[in-house]
Amino acid sequence: MKIGILGTGNIGKTLTRRLSAAGHEVKAANSRGPETIEADVLASGGRAVTAAEAVVDVDAMIPSVTVLPEDRTSATASRLNSSEYRLLRLLLLPTWHYFL
């Protein structure tokens, strides 16, 4: 399966490592650019890409990003559930975690 992961914090790193090790084609992106993704995250075969590249030609997209309280939560959710993303026809598996 081709998987795009947005976010390389604790959850995103772990998912990239484990899904790559399981034989999936994983593209990982963060907000700072592909050159900032640590080598250990990619050691199992994941590929560092830009956020735009992470959602192209994938079967599943996993957003693993911090969502700030209330005001940003609904904006982020509506953006990810917009028709633009629905048209991609991919499996969306959010792992949002709240910054407290």
Side-chain angles (χ1 to χ4, degrees), residues 28-83:
N30 64 20
S31 61
R32 296 173 314 252
E35 65 282 352
T36 65
I37 297 175
E38 300 166 6
D40 68 312
V41 176
L42 308 172
S44 297
R47 190 164 52 107
V49 297
T50 65
E53 293 169 324
V55 298
V56 175
D57 191 30
V58 294
D59 302 309
M61 197 271 281
I62 303 173
S64 181
V65 295
T66 301
V67 177
L68 298 175
E70 285 304 310
D71 58 333
R72 293 239 177 119
T73 304
S74 59
T76 303
S78 65
R79 190 168 56 242
L80 286 173
N81 287 316
S82 72
S83 59

Side-chain angles (χ1 to χ4, degrees), residues 16-17 20-21 24-28 41-48:
T16 299
R17 285 185 202 127
S20 296
H24 298 286
E25 186 178 318
V26 179
K27 298 190 279 185
V41 176
L42 308 172
S44 297
R47 190 164 52 107

